[in-house]
Every structure is written in C-alpha cells, then in structure tokens.
Amino acid sequence: MKREIEIKIREAYQTLFEAWEALRKHQNDEAIRKAIKCIKASMETVRKTSKYLFNNEDIIKTSDKIIEKMNGIIRLERRRIARALLIERIWLNPYLIRLVEKGTLDLKPKSILKEEEARIAVDHASEVYYWADSVVFKLIKSNKIQLNNKS
C-alpha cells in the first residue's frame, strides 16, 4: 500500500507539471484535462493514505484523525479538507469531464474552453496537490513510515 501511495503522489505531481506546461503553451483543453487528472490522483492519494493508516478511506469520517496527526490548526485544516472535497466535486463532474474530452454542440473542447477556465483548473489542481502532498508527508512522517521501503 505504501508503494501505491508513493506512485499516486508522483503521478499527481507529474500531471500538475504537465498541466502548467499545457497552460503555458495556451493548450487550454489539455491543461484542464491534466488538472483534472492531478486532482483525481491527489485525492486518491489521500484516500489511500487514510485507508492505510485509519482503515477507512472516507475523508470526512477520518478528518478528525487526519487533523490530529497533522498537528495543524483545526479550523484551517477543516477548511483545507472542505476545499479539496469541493474542488474534487467541481472538476470530477462527469458532464464536465465529457465536455473537456469530447466537446458539445458539435464544438471541440479547444474551441469552448478559455484560458480563464484552464488557469482556474490548474490553480485548483495545485491547491489540491499541495494539500494532499502535505497530508501524506505529515501522516507518513508522524507514523514513522518510510515510503521508500517496500513493506
């Protein structure tokens, strides 16, 4: 399980990097696709970590345990969790994913999606990735688990 967590967080990082690159090249549809992939991988990482440490992947149900292990300010950590879940709901919406992948009304995604949407998607992906990375790092560190060790 630890190896899966490491792979997922690296996947999230790589897709975030690719999203920023696509945004830089004005490939708005590709930037949004990569941002969505990053958000999904980041949230999967937190869920896998939660399941591994608390035997439950429901982030809402394990939020108090996550906050306790992170030694953070409770209100701030709850806000981060709530924002990550909100961002996940927004960008992992099946209709939005279909629109980004295939377009609608005989229009291709690149002719529908503007730079503003791409920038928001990549900013949201960054927020979720950095939150997920800190959760994984702090939870793993607090449990003295080495991700690099295969066990």
Side-chain angles (χ1 to χ4, degrees), residues 42-53:
S42 297
M43 294 303 286
E44 286 176 6
T45 299
V46 173
R47 284 189 175 91
K48 284 181 183 295
T49 303
S50 183
K51 182 158 178 79
Y52 179 71
L53 296 175

Side-chain angles (χ1 to χ4, degrees), residues 22-78:
L23 184 62
R24 187 180 64 78
K25 294 175 183 175
H26 304 287
Q27 298 169 338
N28 300 329
D29 55 331
E30 186 64 16
I32 293 172
R33 269 194 287 281
K34 294 296 184 178
I36 289 170
K37 188 174 178 184
C38 174
I39 292 166
K40 184 176 181 184
S42 297
M43 294 303 286
E44 286 176 6
T45 299
V46 173
R47 284 189 175 91
K48 284 181 183 295
T49 303
S50 183
K51 182 158 178 79
Y52 179 71
L53 296 175
F54 309 124
N55 207 27
N56 189 340
E57 65 181 33
D58 186 324
I59 295 171
I60 296 289
K61 289 182 180 174
T62 61
S63 63
D64 287 339
K65 292 177 183 175
I66 291 170
I67 292 166
E68 180 185 325
K69 292 283 187 187
M70 291 191 62
N71 292 324
I73 300 168
I74 293 171
R75 188 177 174 113
L76 178 60
E77 294 302 333
R78 283 188 178 147

Side-chain angles (χ1 to χ4, degrees), residues 9 12-13 30 47 107 116-117:
I9 201 69
Y13 174 80
E30 186 64 16
R47 284 189 175 91
L107 295 171
E116 290 86 356
E117 289 93 30

Side-chain angles (χ1 to χ4, degrees), residues 41-129:
S42 297
M43 294 303 286
E44 286 176 6
T45 299
V46 173
R47 284 189 175 91
K48 284 181 183 295
T49 303
S50 183
K51 182 158 178 79
Y52 179 71
L53 296 175
F54 309 124
N55 207 27
N56 189 340
E57 65 181 33
D58 186 324
I59 295 171
I60 296 289
K61 289 182 180 174
T62 61
S63 63
D64 287 339
K65 292 177 183 175
I66 291 170
I67 292 166
E68 180 185 325
K69 292 283 187 187
M70 291 191 62
N71 292 324
I73 300 168
I74 293 171
R75 188 177 174 113
L76 178 60
E77 294 302 333
R78 283 188 178 147
R79 179 182 178 277
R80 288 178 178 155
I81 292 169
R83 282 198 50 80
L85 292 168
L86 172 66
I87 290 167
E88 178 186 41
R89 285 258 194 241
I90 292 168
W91 292 105
L92 298 186
N93 173 318
Y95 175 76
L96 179 64
I97 292 171
R98 209 169 31 256
L99 183 134
V100 170
E101 294 295 325
K102 298 178 180 162
T104 190
L105 300 173
D106 294 328
L107 295 171
K108 294 184 182 203
K110 72 168 53 172
S111 64
I112 300 169
L113 302 166
K114 296 181 178 180
E115 185 178 342
E116 290 86 356
E117 289 93 30
R119 188 167 301 285
I120 291 168
V122 174
D123 284 346
H124 279 166
S126 295
E127 181 178 345
V128 172
Y129 167 76

